[in-house]
Each structure stands twice: as C-alpha cells, then as structure tokens.
C-alpha cells in the first residue's frame, strides 16, 4: 500500500477484531472505518468519513453519467493473443479469467448515450480486466469511439483507470498509444470536444497518450496519476517519495490537471462543461 | 585486445587472437604462415557469419546494447556534411539525452532528433544513459515544428532504454510531454522517418517515434517495456529477461512479422560495432532513399497515409 493511504491513526474501533457479517459492511482502506455497503453504494462509493473514493466498475460510471438508456458498441471485439504469450499463466487464460470476472470482453466499454440530454460518446476503462491495461482491443475500441464522435460530431468523454500498456501484446500494445493519439489529433482538428476523466489509478502508456490529451482534464480526488509507477521511481532513485507524490492534487499543483472533482459532483460538472461548449439546437 | 565480449562471441575472439598471434610470429621470426593465416581468416569469416545470423532474441538485445555500438552522434559524424545542434526546450532546460539539430546530408537538408547515450560512465551521466526527461521531448517537438515551418523532413533516431523514471520527470509532466508528441507527430505537415539504431523501450522511445516509415537496423529491439522490466513484473525476477525477450518478440525481425517495421537494414557481419563505417553507409543510403520517396508524396496525402498506417496497427478478433 502506498504511503498516501497508509493508516496513520488507530481506527475508532480499536485493535480488537470484530466479526463483521460478510458482504454487508466494508472497511475503508484509507481511514479504516467500517461502512455500511448499501449506504456506500448510495454515496457513489465515497467513504462517508474521509471522502476516500473506492475504485468502481465501468458499469457504475456509465450508470452514474448516462441519463437512462445507452447503446454499447463494438462490445465483442476481443484479443486473439497475437504473440501466444505465456508467463506464469497463459495470456489466453488470463483473458478468459478476466472475462469471467468482469463480464467484459476487454478493458474498455464504449457507449453512446445522453448525459443531461447531451448526446455523447463515452469510453470507460475497466480496471478489473488485467489492470485496465491497453492492448490492441482497448486501442481499437477507443479509436473507433473517437471516430464515431468525430463522424457524428458528438463530444467525447473517456474515463481512465489503467496500469498502462499491456505487456502480453508487446509492441502492438505500445503502438496503441500512437494510434489513439493520432485519432484524437484528427478529432481535435475537426473541432471535437474531449473531456478526459482520470481515476485511480491512471499510469504508464495510458497517461502518456489519450488520458493526458483532453481539452479538459478532470481528476478524482486522491487518484494515482503518473507515467512511471511509484515503485519503479523509488527503486531508481533509491529514496522515499514525497507525500502525495503523483496524486491528483499534486498533478493539479504542477499544472497537469484542470479540475479535481469528487464523484458525487462529477455529472454536474460535466453537464456544466457540456452546456458551456456544446450548442444544442 | 581488451574487448567486451558476450558469451556467444567468445569463440570468435579466440580465433581472432590466434590469427593475431600467428601474424606476430610470422613477422618476428620470418616464418611464412600466409597459407595458414588465410585459412584461419576464412574460417573466422564463416564463424562470424554463422554466429551472428543465428542469435536468439536475448542475444540480439545484448548486441543492440553493445557498448561499442555506434550511437546517434557517431552516425551523424559519419553521415552529415554539416550538423548544427540546437539546445533547450525554451521552458526549463536542455536535455542532453536527446539531441536535435539541422543536418545537411549531401544535398539533402533534414532536421534530426535522436536519443543520445554516453560512451563511458562520465559521458553516460552527462547523457543520463539516453533516458529523457520531459524537456527532451519538448525540445524535440520544438525542432519538429521548425522542420514543419521550413518544409524540412524529420529524421528521428531511436536508442533509449526508456524515459527517465524520476521525481522531477513526473513533476514536469513526463506523460504529458510524450502524449503531446504522439499527438503532434501524427499530424506534423512534413515527412517523418523513424530509424531504430539500438534499443527502444516504451513511451520513452515512442515519444519521438511516430512517423511515416519505421526502419530498423538488424540488431535492434523495440517493445512496450524492456525485457528486464517485463520479467520483474510478470516473472518477479529481472534475471528472466531472456525469457521475456522471447515472449514479447522484441527484435527487428519480429516487428517485421507483426507488420510494424517497414524496412530492416542489414548490418555488416558481426553487427554495427564491428564495422561502423559500413553501417553508417547503409544507414545513409536508407535514410536518403526513404526521405526522397516520402518527399515526393503530397503532404495532405502523406498525413492521410500516416493516419491509416497507425489505424491498422494491432491484432484482434471480431465476433
């Protein structure tokens, strides 16, 4: 666990182990408070005590941002394991497991729908699918979503949560950074609006491509955002990292994030931005 | 001869030493060993050819990092009739791990950007081992914008173990600097030729690596992460880099099979470091030929082709 989330105070409940009925209560990884799951769900999975933002699934972001119905497109594009990659597990097995765990075919969901009556194209990454890593499928689906937004002249929103480019597809993953960035530059030239929303964590090749290319960049509070991972940096420089390093607040302070916005206010903020930039007939 | 040798090179050096000794013997004692020497020379030639044409992926990675392998400035010295280096990103600093400047090659004028490694420890500290900070990418972009403005092609020379993972680099937006370059290079209104001369890892390589053609010297590698990085994450043991290199399929030939490489430049027998002059000659031939071909394409069409090229990259199934 990174320093930022390390428990600094003893929790109110003391050190005694309490028996908590499974599934009803959840312990906040930041302040160690036990939270009632149903209440947490109502509160956008934000800790009622310390405002810690739990990681949530792509489905939950879609539910949170889209008014009602939406159309998911390119759902069934899937990896064909081009390198026949194997480490301790076969990549093909990792894909199978991730699919079973998330119900998704890969680490991004692309949809078209209304957000406060603005028609938008929305991409949401799924961290639980191999760490939200970007391989050929993620690159292709995001590229097609950008094309769709460009052709239909719709605003584009991408919610990122990703460990970076996917190692199991080697150079093909790396090239998805160039591919998505090239698509965004075309979209930009034709005047499209792109809002990039960074959630915990957004690192590596994802940050160094589409995530950092938003006209507007919004970050959730306390999200880890960076290029190199903190562990690698620590190993390289042989020193501890400063407190709050590579967190949303740090990035805004250094000038790389426009707005930090809590999840409960996110839809309202995006609506105001869309109202400002998009003229509805 | 005190030379760095990899295990697979040892029989070659043993033979070279033997030939050397015989030459000495023959000149000191006046014994005629010409026939024997000629036979051994022939044997050496065959051994070199055989050894270097049968390398596995990890051996290629090692060769790509050979400390005597020519670096960007070695090639510039051999290829350019004139080179004017420019410095700094006009914002924060001059990053010495990327060099940028204006090169005249015969009658051609091109803007060069390229990673630069150091020849020894001191030089490497100065060059930060060819690992750029954000300023390097921003300096490169500044040079590319000049190229666009004055209608000069860009030649980008890649040789880096990756972008530097440090506090300052993150504070000053390593990710933003790389992303911005990908974005800008995909639509830069001038031809861009990418040449891999050594190693290329991750966004640190790609940050100056988007263009119209992707050309690699034979003994190079290019991938999403270094074999060591991949091994330490997936196998929890950086020592398994050889396995990671095999799994990730990182060599120039692999990139050709994966549809990423446009051209592979064959190196002299034994690799670039055994004959830098000849390597520079074939490299120059390729650069000029590619630049000529790209310059003949109308610029709007070239950018369309560039976008199409990246659009197709990747491999997936569609149900």
């Amino acid at each position: 666990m990174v320093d930022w989330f390390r428990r600094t105070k003893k929790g109110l409940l003391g050190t005694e182990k309490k028996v908590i009925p499974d599934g009803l209560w959840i312990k906040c990884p930041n302040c160690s408070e036990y939270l009632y799951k149903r209440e947490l769900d109502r509160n956008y999975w934000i800790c009622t005590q310390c405002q810690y933002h739990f990681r949530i699934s792509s489905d939950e972001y879609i539910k949170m941002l889209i008014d009602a119905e939406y159309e998911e497109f390119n759902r069934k594009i899937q990896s064909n394991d081009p390198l026949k990659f194997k480490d301790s597990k076969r990549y093909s097995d990792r894909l199978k497991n991730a699919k079973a765990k998330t119900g998704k075919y890969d680490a991004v969901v692309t949809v078209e729908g209304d957000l406060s009556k603005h028609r938008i194209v929305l991409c949401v990454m799924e961290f639980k699918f191999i760490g939200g890593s970007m391989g050929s499928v993620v690159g292709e689906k995001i590229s097609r979503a950008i094309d769709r937004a460009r052709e239909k002249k719709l605003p584009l929103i991408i919610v990122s949560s990703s460990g970076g480019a996917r190692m199991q597809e080697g150079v093909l993953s790396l090239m998805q950074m160039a591919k998505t960035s090239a698509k965004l530059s075309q979209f930009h030239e034709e005047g499209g609006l792109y809002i990039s929303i960074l959630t915990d964590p957004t690192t590596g090749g994802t940050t160094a491509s589409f995530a950092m290319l938003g006209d507007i960049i919004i970050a959730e509070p306390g999200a880890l955002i960076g290029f190199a991972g903190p562990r690698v940096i620590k190993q390289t420089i042989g020193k501890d990292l400063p407190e709050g390093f590579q967190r949303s607040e740090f990035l805004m302070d250094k000038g790389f994030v426009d707005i930090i916005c809590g999840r409960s206010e996110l839809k309202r903020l995006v609506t105001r931005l869309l109202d400002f930039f998009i003229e509805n007939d | 001869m005190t030379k760095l040798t990899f295990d697979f090179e040892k029989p070659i050096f043993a033979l070279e030493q033997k030939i050397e000794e015989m030459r000495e013997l023959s000149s000191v004692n006046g014994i005629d060993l010409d026939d024997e020497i000629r036979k051994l020379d022939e044997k050496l030639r065959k051994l070199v050819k055989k050894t270097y044409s049968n390398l596995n992926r990890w051996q290629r990675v090692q060769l790509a990092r050979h400390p005597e392998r020519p670096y960007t400035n070695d090639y510039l010295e051999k290829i350019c009739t004139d080179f004017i280096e420019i410095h700094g990103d006009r914002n924060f600093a001059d990053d010495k791990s990327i060099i940028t400047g204006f090169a005249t090659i015969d009658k051609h004028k091109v803007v060069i950007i390229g990673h630069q490694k150091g020849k020894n420890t001191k030089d490497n500290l100065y060059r930060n081992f060819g690992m750029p900070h954000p300023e390097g990418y921003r300096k490169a972009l500044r040079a590319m914008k000049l190229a666009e403005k004055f209608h000069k092609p860009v030649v980008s020379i890649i040789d880096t173990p990756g972008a530097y993972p440090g506090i300052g680099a993150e504070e000053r937006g390593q990710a933003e600097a790389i992303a911005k370059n990908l974005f800008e290079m995909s639509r830069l209104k001038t031809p861009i030729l990418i040449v891999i001369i050594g190693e290329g890892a991750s966004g640190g390589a790609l940050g100056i690596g988007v263009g119209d053609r992707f050309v690699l010297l034979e003994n190079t590698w290019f991938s999403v992460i270094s074999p060591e990085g991949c091994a330490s994450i997936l196998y929890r043991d950086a020592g398994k880099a050889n396995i990671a290199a095999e799994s990730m399929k990182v060599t120039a030939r692999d990139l050709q099979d994966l549809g990423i490489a446009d051209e592979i430049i064959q190196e002299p027998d034994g690799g670039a470091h055994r004959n830098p002059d000849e390597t520079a000659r074939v490299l120059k031939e390729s650069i000029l030929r590619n630049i000529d071909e790209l310059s003949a394409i109308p610029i709007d069409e070239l950018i369309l082709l560039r976008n199409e090229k990246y659009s197709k990259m990747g491999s997936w199934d569609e149900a």
Side-chain angles (χ1 to χ4, degrees), chain A residues 20-32:
Chain A
I20 306 290
D22 212 29
L24 272 181
W25 295 83
I26 289 176
K27 187 176 165 185
C28 172
N30 185 44
C31 72
S32 303

Side-chain angles (χ1 to χ4, degrees), chain B residues 178-307:
Chain B
I178 292 170
K180 181 84 176 288
N181 279 15
L182 307 182
F183 184 88
E184 294 290 344
M185 290 179 92
S186 72
R187 63 193 189 129
L188 196 79
K189 287 195 160 68
T190 197
I192 307 176
L193 175 67
I194 310 296
V195 185
I196 319 295
I197 60 163
E199 56 181 343
S202 90
L206 196 66
I208 57 166
V210 176
D212 302 298
R213 294 232 175 119
F214 200 78
V215 173
L216 299 98
L217 282 179
E218 185 187 2
N219 295 308
T220 57
W221 69 271
F222 187 91
S223 196
V224 65
I225 188 171
S226 70
E228 289 87 345
C230 175
S232 70
I233 296 170
L234 288 184
Y235 307 88
R236 309 225 166 258
D237 178 6
K240 290 190 173 150
N242 54 340
I243 305 173
E246 288 296 322
S247 308
M248 283 202 297
K249 302 197 169 52
V250 299
T251 66
R253 296 266 170 246
D254 292 326
L255 264 66
Q256 198 168 39
D257 294 342
L258 292 167
I260 303 292
D262 294 304
E263 178 182 330
I264 292 180
I265 304 172
Q266 191 149 9
E267 295 180 22
D269 286 341
H273 65 288
R274 288 178 73 92
N275 195 342
D277 286 336
E278 175 60 13
T279 313
R281 192 190 65 76
V282 289
L283 185 66
K284 175 179 165 183
E285 184 278 320
S286 168
I287 289 175
L288 294 185
R289 175 171 38 78
N290 279 298
I291 286 295
D292 276 345
E293 286 171 13
L294 293 173
S295 301
I297 303 170
I299 192 65
D300 289 341
E301 195 185 324
L302 188 70
I303 289 174
L304 227 66
L305 289 171
R306 192 185 298 162
N307 279 307

Side-chain angles (χ1 to χ4, degrees), chain A residues 178-219:
Chain A
K179 178 169 158 178
T180 52
S181 302
K183 291 288 183 193
L184 281 174
S185 96
Q186 239 180 319
F187 183 60
H188 170 82
E189 279 201 342
E190 296 186 21
L193 170 70
Y194 166 35
I195 299 173
S196 174
I197 300 172
L198 314 180
T199 73
D200 184 59
T202 301
T203 60
T206 299
T207 321
S209 60
F210 59 84
M212 272 292 150
L213 292 172
D215 294 306
I216 311 292
I217 300 180
I218 300 170

Side-chain angles (χ1 to χ4, degrees), chain A residues 4-261:
Chain A
W4 203 78
F5 285 138
R6 192 172 292 152
R7 182 173 168 179
T8 46
K9 281 184 222 154
K10 286 261 186 281
L12 295 170
L13 298 171
T15 48
E16 240 175 277
K17 278 225 170 116
K18 301 220 165 159
V19 184
I20 306 290
D22 212 29
L24 272 181
W25 295 83
I26 289 176
K27 187 176 165 185
C28 172
N30 185 44
C31 72
S32 303
E33 182 70 32
Y34 282 93
L35 305 160
Y36 190 43
K37 196 173 166 186
R38 215 184 282 167
E39 197 184 342
L40 201 52
D41 192 42
R42 270 199 299 268
N43 197 35
Y44 303 91
W45 288 86
I46 303 168
C47 172
T48 47
Q49 297 299 309
C50 73
Q51 307 300 306
Y52 168 79
H53 283 53
F54 283 75
R55 286 180 187 168
I56 59 173
S57 71
S58 51
D59 288 338
E60 274 161 306
Y61 277 108
I62 294 168
K63 196 172 78 187
M64 200 171 96
L65 290 170
I66 297 286
D67 298 339
E69 268 128 63
Y70 58 85
E71 175 207 346
E72 180 178 356
F73 52 93
N74 296 321
R75 190 169 93 90
K76 289 188 176 174
I77 300 180
Q78 55 185 324
S79 174
N80 54 13
D81 187 10
L83 306 184
K84 306 287 163 241
F85 193 97
K86 184 173 174 272
D87 48 90
S88 58
K89 267 190 211 158
R90 282 176 199 284
Y91 176 42
S92 55
D93 288 338
R94 280 187 200 276
L95 287 165
K96 247 180 254 162
N97 294 345
K99 215 179 284 179
K101 191 164 79 176
T102 61
K104 312 291 177 207
Y105 285 78
D106 212 302
V108 71
V109 179
T110 56
V111 307
E112 186 184 320
D114 289 344
L115 189 155
S116 304
K117 297 192 181 124
H118 291 281
R119 195 80 183 157
I120 62 159
V121 171
L122 171 68
C123 309
V124 186
M125 300 189 82
E126 178 55 66
F127 190 74
K128 285 208 170 116
F129 197 106
I130 316 187
S133 55
M134 170 161 62
S136 298
V137 175
V138 169
E140 178 65 13
K141 284 179 79 171
I142 287 181
S143 296
R144 290 192 196 183
I146 298 168
D147 278 345
R148 188 184 185 109
R150 183 172 53 81
E151 280 155 15
K152 294 186 158 186
K153 301 203 178 306
L154 297 175
L156 170 75
I157 299 176
I158 303 180
V159 180
S160 293
S161 59
S162 168
R166 189 176 293 169
M167 285 177 286
Q168 291 90 341
E169 291 183 30
V171 69
L172 296 175
S173 299
L174 182 67
M175 289 307 183
Q176 304 310 311
M177 294 169 61
K179 178 169 158 178
T180 52
S181 302
K183 291 288 183 193
L184 281 174
S185 96
Q186 239 180 319
F187 183 60
H188 170 82
E189 279 201 342
E190 296 186 21
L193 170 70
Y194 166 35
I195 299 173
S196 174
I197 300 172
L198 314 180
T199 73
D200 184 59
T202 301
T203 60
T206 299
T207 321
S209 60
F210 59 84
M212 272 292 150
L213 292 172
D215 294 306
I216 311 292
I217 300 180
I218 300 170
E220 284 192 348
L224 176 76
I225 302 163
F227 179 60
R231 205 159 39 106
V232 175
I233 300 174
K234 202 172 155 179
Q235 264 171 22
T236 307
I237 63 172
K239 272 189 273 186
D240 281 336
L241 302 173
E243 210 181 307
F245 181 63
Q246 291 185 313
R247 296 287 162 185
S248 306
E249 297 72 15
F250 172 90
L251 265 92
M252 191 158 91
D253 189 45
K254 300 296 173 193
F256 293 99
V257 159
D258 289 300
I259 305 163
I260 293 177
C261 180

